[in-house]
Each structure stands twice: as structure tokens, then as C-alpha cells.
Amino acid sequence: MTTTANPWREALNALGSAFMTSTIIRSASKEAGMPGSALYFRGRVGILGDVSTQTAYDVQAIFSRRVVDTIWERSADVTSDKAVELYVDACRRWGRENLGENAAATRAAELLECVLDEAELAPMLLAQGWQRAPRADDVPARLAQAAMAVREIRGGLYFAALALVGLPVHRAMLADPGAGPDRMTSLGWNEEEIDEAKTHQRPGDGARWRDAERALDGAFLGLLGDVLGEDRLNDLGEALLRVERSDKG
């Protein structure tokens, strides 16, 4: 999913996703007897309970079905509750190790949690699940978790925007100038799967993707603005840009 060209929204995306590829989450995954990348999948989706691979694929559709099936097969012994516990712990630990506890972090955490408290998110299942998850007490952990959860809101709106313009996810990735085959490869798609996706491309996919991006941008800002109002939305943007990060890993 490509972020729009807005510095604070890029900061939000980075805050909410950095732990997902960190050494912290990879180590936790391996300690639980799973492949290093499995906790990202199992913990993130585990907030919905013990779901089928079909449901897991549906809510993480930027990955190939083969990747999701393999992860579920190789992590079958880990319950959803345990996966969520480990995932949230990794998120909070990353925040504590990489985010400063300054006024900007405190304000950003407060405003993001306000969004989670008040936003109406149906039918965005992952975002709804993380909206209701228990929260930490300390600011760095709160900020990391809140940024992750609000990022899930944007992810849900992304899929909704694609559906609005009738563009399947794999075709959207091919049309996205910031994604394409290289990005798909990094997400686990193999050459055969990418070639198969290309056979479904349509001449108007680029225009549909741009329409979806505009719809996504408007919907996300609209949702935030409805909850926070213009002044607090501006406060959120300024706070996110002033958050101190050390990014130790």
C-alpha cells in the first residue's frame, strides 16, 4: 500500500509499521517456534480469533494466497490469543526502545487513541479488532500501538477504495508506480504468480488506481477530521512530525 505524498501521513505509516519488520518481532516469532515472518501475519490477524486461511488472505490481500497458506500451515500450533499477545508485546517493546517520551509523543498518542475511541469503522474488520484491543500505560508503547491501529484504519479504507473503483488488489499493485512487480516480489509473490496477475491487467487500471488513491486520501482525512476537527487534526500532524525516533531495531 503506497502512502500519499504528505509528510505527516508518511510519519504515521512509518510509526505504525516499523515494528512489523524489526528484529524484535522476528525474534519473538522464532522463540514461539514459528518462521521469523509468521508473527506479523498470525499476530495481526489473530485479533479476529482463530480464522481460516481464506479469511486471513481476504484481510491481507496484498500477499499471495500461497504465502498465507504456508504461514498458517507452519504456525498451526500457535493459538490466536498467543499470537496477539506476542504481536502486541513486540509492538510495545519496539515503541519503548525506539520512541522518545516527549510532549509530541504524548500528544500524538492521545489524539490517535481519540480516533480509536470514537471512529465508526464497520466493516473494516482488522481495524475494528485493533480499535478495541487493550492498551499500554506508558507513552512510547501507547504511541506505537495506536499508530499501528490507526494504520489499520487506512488499510481498511484502501481496500474499500479499490472495491469502489472495481480494481482488484493484485491489479492495483501492478498499476501503482510505487509498487509493481518489485514490490510484489518483496511481499512473497513468485514470478509465476506475478505473470498470472499481469494477464488480468486492463488498459484503464492506472486511471482506476489514481481514482482509488484520491478516494482513500479523502476518506482517511475525512474520518480523522470528523473525530478530531480541523484544529486537533493539525495538532496530530505537527505532533507526528516531532516524535523522536532512535530506530535501534
Side-chain angles (χ1 to χ4, degrees):
M1 181 174 63
T2 300
T3 57
T4 54
N6 180 297
W8 74 261
R9 268 167 275 161
E10 292 169 2
L12 172 62
N13 183 65
L15 278 177
S17 64
F19 84 96
M20 296 175 179
T21 55
S22 67
T23 56
I24 292 172
I25 198 170
R26 290 196 297 271
S27 296
S29 188
K30 291 177 181 177
E31 288 169 7
M34 298 185 290
S37 61
L39 185 54
Y40 163 77
F41 292 86
R42 291 301 305 273
R44 185 179 174 213
V45 177
I47 199 68
L48 302 179
D50 291 313
V51 300
S52 67
T53 54
Q54 181 61 56
T55 298
Y57 170 70
D58 288 342
V59 298
Q60 299 185 110
I62 62 172
F63 301 95
S64 77
R65 178 61 188 268
R66 172 186 52 81
V67 168
V68 177
D69 286 345
T70 299
I71 291 294
W72 252 245
E73 179 182 344
R74 297 182 65 186
S75 59
D77 292 338
V78 178
T79 66
S80 60
D81 286 347
K82 184 62 176 178
V84 169
E85 176 188 335
L86 294 171
Y87 186 77
V88 172
D89 180 67
C91 178
R92 293 173 180 173
R93 284 174 55 199
W94 183 89
R96 289 166 183 146
E97 293 183 14
N98 293 280
L99 301 179
E101 189 170 347
N102 60 6
T106 300
R107 184 60 170 159
E110 290 173 349
L111 292 173
L112 291 172
E113 288 177 344
C114 182
V115 172
L116 296 173
D117 288 339
E118 299 183 25
E120 297 181 8
L121 301 180
M124 293 181 278
L125 297 181
L126 278 181
Q128 281 184 317
W130 286 110
Q131 178 186 35
R132 301 164 182 157
R135 299 170 189 169
D137 295 324
D138 57 294
V139 169
R142 284 173 53 206
L143 177 55
Q145 184 176 336
M148 175 269 287
V150 173
R151 184 179 178 274
E152 292 290 4
I153 296 176
R154 195 172 188 277
L157 290 172
Y158 171 72
F159 291 131
L162 293 181
L164 182 67
V165 301
L167 187 61
V169 177
H170 62 277
R171 283 166 50 192
M173 287 194 288
L174 289 170
D176 181 353
D182 288 345
R183 175 63 174 156
M184 294 174 77
T185 298
S186 72
L187 294 173
W189 293 69
N190 62 32
E191 186 175 343
E192 182 179 345
E193 291 165 338
I194 294 172
D195 287 342
E196 171 63 20
K198 288 178 178 178
T199 67
H200 298 283
Q201 286 182 284
R202 300 292 183 270
D205 283 357
R208 288 186 180 187
W209 177 83
R210 290 188 292 274
D211 287 344
E213 283 289 297
R214 285 190 289 268
L216 167 61
D217 200 33
F220 185 55
L221 281 179
L223 184 150
L224 296 180
D226 285 347
V227 172
L228 298 177
E230 184 177 354
D231 289 344
R232 290 197 298 168
L233 182 57
N234 289 334
D235 285 351
L236 174 60
E238 292 173 3
L240 287 168
L241 290 173
R242 297 199 310 272
V243 169
E244 296 176 354
R245 291 179 52 171
S246 62
D247 281 23
K248 299 174 184 176

